[in-house]
Amino acid sequence: MDLSIGDVSRRVAVKVPTIRYYEQIGLLPAPPRTEGRQRRYGAEHVSRLSFIRHARDLGFDVEAIREFLSLSTQPDQSCHPADEIVLRHLESVERRIAQLNLLRSELRHMLEECRHGPVRECQIIQVLGDHGQCRHEHGKVV
Amino acid sequence: MDLSIGDVSRRVAVKVPTIRYYEQIGLLPAPPRTEGRQRRYGAEHVSRLSFIRHARDLGFDVEAIREFLSLSTQPDQSCHPADEIVLRHLESVERRIAQLNLLRSELRHMLEECRHGPVRECQIIQVLGDHGQCRHEHGKVV
DNA sequence: CTACAATCTCTAGCGACTAGAGGTTCAAGA
DNA sequence: TCTTGAACCTCTAGTCGCTAGAGATTGTAG
């Protein structure tokens, strides 16, 4: 196992600049280099990077991943902190789903109301200009 | 009607720096100024800003809002372009909801599996290290 | 040995703001 | 009228997690 950054990129499906970025922010340890200063990775790096990628795919932010990685080096500690992070993340996902469901129904309503005529009569533009016409209170979504 | 930026901010519930930012990117026209170069807004500005705020709350990006605003000045045009934007946005919201639902069930599963023991036995950390243990394929969510 | 793909470092950009520094203006109370 | 201090001004930089590009160097297959 002595992989170039491109090899690792293909294996783990993480782009080359992203791998360098993870090194830069200290998520992935700096690997050894060739004489010509090119990075060469081993199995440890690959598995750590897939851990990172998986956690990112699950929507955890870099700070959370740092915490997970640090925990995983202390097998005797309680896993409670990891638990906590997952729970908080789940809660925020659920809040987001709730918001997006409201938003979806609002957007559907706008489309149903649209008469497909000239802008003058367009409910979409009207609703945007007058929040009172919305059926829900909706806070910021994005 | 001759409102300071702070007055407008309170009325429309958009922060002061955000109002200036909207002016800078050309979403909100530059208002007249006092002798001392402070901004003074009229009713037009207030209603345009609430339009913008409402659209942002509904998750439209600045480009979409630009399009809406430009349409709203052409009342005889067909509202089809607005329709299209809303539809595309709705579709992306629905895709996101679907992803987040998958994600939610994955996170719940992780929490259920957690034995609340030491990290060594922690399913959370294990699952992150081995995507094969996931029940769904989940792509990037964030 | 040559060609050229892959790598290197460095800086800047994305979107939609937000924060802060350091200076000026407005308006209310004395 | 003067003073105080909150609100305003401009400008730059930071947020997050990358992504893009320039310009130089290295590795490797033929």
Side-chain angles (χ1 to χ4, degrees), chain B residues 27-137:
Chain B
L27 264 195
L28 197 62
R33 304 276 186 129
T34 62
E35 292 247 320
R37 303 198 41 70
Q38 296 197 0
R39 293 167 178 83
R40 286 298 176 266
Y41 295 92
E44 268 309 304
H45 292 99
V46 171
S47 83
R48 191 172 171 112
L49 184 58
S50 26
F51 185 104
I52 294 169
R53 192 214 124 117
H54 195 186
R56 286 292 302 127
D57 282 354
L58 289 168
F60 293 102
D61 63 24
V62 166
E63 268 323 294
I65 296 173
R66 256 187 241 284
E67 185 71 18
F68 287 143
L69 286 170
S70 135
L71 279 172
S72 71
T73 65
Q74 310 179 321
D76 298 325
Q77 290 280 314
S78 157
C79 77
H80 180 69
D83 219 43
E84 266 297 304
I85 292 172
V86 175
L87 185 59
R88 278 201 302 276
H89 185 42
L90 173 58
E91 285 165 356
S92 94
V93 166
E94 288 179 336
R95 278 194 301 276
R96 193 167 201 80
I97 288 172
Q99 283 180 328
L100 288 177
N101 279 331
L102 270 184
L103 178 53
R104 174 173 55 183
S105 82
E106 205 63 64
L107 293 171
R108 281 182 176 165
H109 183 66
M110 284 168 80
L111 284 175
E112 275 162 23
E113 291 293 295
C114 184
R115 296 281 168 275
H116 309 289
V119 166
R120 197 183 312 99
E121 299 163 12
C122 181
Q123 288 301 308
I124 290 171
I125 302 290
Q126 310 251 328
V127 167
L128 284 173
D130 178 7
H131 187 160
Q133 292 185 39
C134 274
R135 290 150 339 137
H136 311 288
E137 279 313 304

